[in-house]
mmCIF file with all atom_site columns, all heavy atoms in Angstrom:
data_model
loop_
_atom_site.group_PDB
_atom_site.id
_atom_site.type_symbol
_atom_site.label_atom_id
_atom_site.label_alt_id
_atom_site.label_comp_id
_atom_site.label_asym_id
_atom_site.label_entity_id
_atom_site.label_seq_id
_atom_site.pdbx_PDB_ins_code
_atom_site.Cartn_x
_atom_site.Cartn_y
_atom_site.Cartn_z
_atom_site.occupancy
_atom_site.B_iso_or_equiv
_atom_site.pdbx_formal_charge
_atom_site.auth_seq_id
_atom_site.auth_comp_id
_atom_site.auth_asym_id
_atom_site.auth_atom_id
_atom_site.pdbx_PDB_model_num
ATOM 1  N N   . TYR A 1 411 ? -49.511 29.420 35.593 1.00 98.00 ? 411 TYR A N   1
ATOM 2  C CA  . TYR A 1 411 ? -50.734 30.106 36.040 1.00 98.00 ? 411 TYR A CA  1
ATOM 3  C C   . TYR A 1 411 ? -51.774 30.005 35.069 1.00 98.00 ? 411 TYR A C   1
ATOM 4  O O   . TYR A 1 411 ? -51.426 29.705 33.859 1.00 98.00 ? 411 TYR A O   1
ATOM 5  C CB  . TYR A 1 411 ? -50.458 31.560 36.445 1.00 98.00 ? 411 TYR A CB  1
ATOM 6  C CG  . TYR A 1 411 ? -49.871 31.803 37.769 1.00 98.00 ? 411 TYR A CG  1
ATOM 7  C CD1 . TYR A 1 411 ? -48.880 30.990 38.310 1.00 98.00 ? 411 TYR A CD1 1
ATOM 8  C CD2 . TYR A 1 411 ? -50.221 32.984 38.464 1.00 98.00 ? 411 TYR A CD2 1
ATOM 9  C CE1 . TYR A 1 411 ? -48.328 31.326 39.532 1.00 98.00 ? 411 TYR A CE1 1
ATOM 10 C CE2 . TYR A 1 411 ? -49.611 33.244 39.723 1.00 98.00 ? 411 TYR A CE2 1
ATOM 11 C CZ  . TYR A 1 411 ? -48.743 32.434 40.251 1.00 98.00 ? 411 TYR A CZ  1
ATOM 12 O OH  . TYR A 1 411 ? -48.177 32.737 41.496 1.00 98.00 ? 411 TYR A OH  1
ATOM 13 N N   . TYR A 1 412 ? -53.068 30.106 35.461 1.00 98.00 ? 412 TYR A N   1
ATOM 14 C CA  . TYR A 1 412 ? -54.096 30.053 34.450 1.00 98.00 ? 412 TYR A CA  1
ATOM 15 C C   . TYR A 1 412 ? -54.946 31.301 34.548 1.00 98.00 ? 412 TYR A C   1
ATOM 16 O O   . TYR A 1 412 ? -55.383 31.734 35.600 1.00 98.00 ? 412 TYR A O   1
ATOM 17 C CB  . TYR A 1 412 ? -54.966 28.811 34.652 1.00 98.00 ? 412 TYR A CB  1
ATOM 18 C CG  . TYR A 1 412 ? -54.152 27.569 34.532 1.00 98.00 ? 412 TYR A CG  1
ATOM 19 C CD1 . TYR A 1 412 ? -53.499 26.968 35.606 1.00 98.00 ? 412 TYR A CD1 1
ATOM 20 C CD2 . TYR A 1 412 ? -54.036 26.873 33.324 1.00 98.00 ? 412 TYR A CD2 1
ATOM 21 C CE1 . TYR A 1 412 ? -52.782 25.853 35.575 1.00 98.00 ? 412 TYR A CE1 1
ATOM 22 C CE2 . TYR A 1 412 ? -53.224 25.734 33.198 1.00 98.00 ? 412 TYR A CE2 1
ATOM 23 C CZ  . TYR A 1 412 ? -52.599 25.244 34.303 1.00 98.00 ? 412 TYR A CZ  1
ATOM 24 O OH  . TYR A 1 412 ? -51.876 24.169 34.166 1.00 98.00 ? 412 TYR A OH  1
ATOM 25 N N   . GLN A 1 413 ? -55.315 31.823 33.310 1.00 98.00 ? 413 GLN A N   1
ATOM 26 C CA  . GLN A 1 413 ? -56.157 33.068 33.337 1.00 98.00 ? 413 GLN A CA  1
ATOM 27 C C   . GLN A 1 413 ? -57.453 32.645 32.710 1.00 98.00 ? 413 GLN A C   1
ATOM 28 O O   . GLN A 1 413 ? -57.487 32.124 31.457 1.00 98.00 ? 413 GLN A O   1
ATOM 29 C CB  . GLN A 1 413 ? -55.591 34.223 32.614 1.00 98.00 ? 413 GLN A CB  1
ATOM 30 C CG  . GLN A 1 413 ? -56.484 35.493 32.741 1.00 98.00 ? 413 GLN A CG  1
ATOM 31 C CD  . GLN A 1 413 ? -55.839 36.726 32.090 1.00 98.00 ? 413 GLN A CD  1
ATOM 32 O OE1 . GLN A 1 413 ? -55.130 36.607 31.056 1.00 98.00 ? 413 GLN A OE1 1
ATOM 33 N NE2 . GLN A 1 413 ? -56.183 37.871 32.527 1.00 98.00 ? 413 GLN A NE2 1
ATOM 34 N N   . PRO A 1 414 ? -58.663 32.671 33.433 1.00 97.00 ? 414 PRO A N   1
ATOM 35 C CA  . PRO A 1 414 ? -59.888 32.342 32.841 1.00 97.00 ? 414 PRO A CA  1
ATOM 36 C C   . PRO A 1 414 ? -60.317 33.117 31.559 1.00 97.00 ? 414 PRO A C   1
ATOM 37 O O   . PRO A 1 414 ? -59.988 34.221 31.476 1.00 97.00 ? 414 PRO A O   1
ATOM 38 C CB  . PRO A 1 414 ? -60.846 32.448 33.970 1.00 97.00 ? 414 PRO A CB  1
ATOM 39 C CG  . PRO A 1 414 ? -60.165 33.319 34.985 1.00 97.00 ? 414 PRO A CG  1
ATOM 40 C CD  . PRO A 1 414 ? -58.797 33.257 34.733 1.00 97.00 ? 414 PRO A CD  1
ATOM 41 N N   . ILE A 1 415 ? -61.030 32.341 30.767 1.00 97.00 ? 415 ILE A N   1
ATOM 42 C CA  . ILE A 1 415 ? -61.566 33.038 29.500 1.00 97.00 ? 415 ILE A CA  1
ATOM 43 C C   . ILE A 1 415 ? -63.053 32.839 29.421 1.00 97.00 ? 415 ILE A C   1
ATOM 44 O O   . ILE A 1 415 ? -63.575 31.819 29.751 1.00 97.00 ? 415 ILE A O   1
ATOM 45 C CB  . ILE A 1 415 ? -60.894 32.370 28.151 1.00 97.00 ? 415 ILE A CB  1
ATOM 46 C CG1 . ILE A 1 415 ? -59.428 32.508 28.203 1.00 97.00 ? 415 ILE A CG1 1
ATOM 47 C CG2 . ILE A 1 415 ? -61.670 32.930 26.946 1.00 97.00 ? 415 ILE A CG2 1
ATOM 48 C CD1 . ILE A 1 415 ? -58.719 31.803 27.005 1.00 97.00 ? 415 ILE A CD1 1
#
Side-chain angles (χ1 to χ4, degrees):
Y411 276 38
Y412 299 90
Q413 186 177 32
I415 295 174

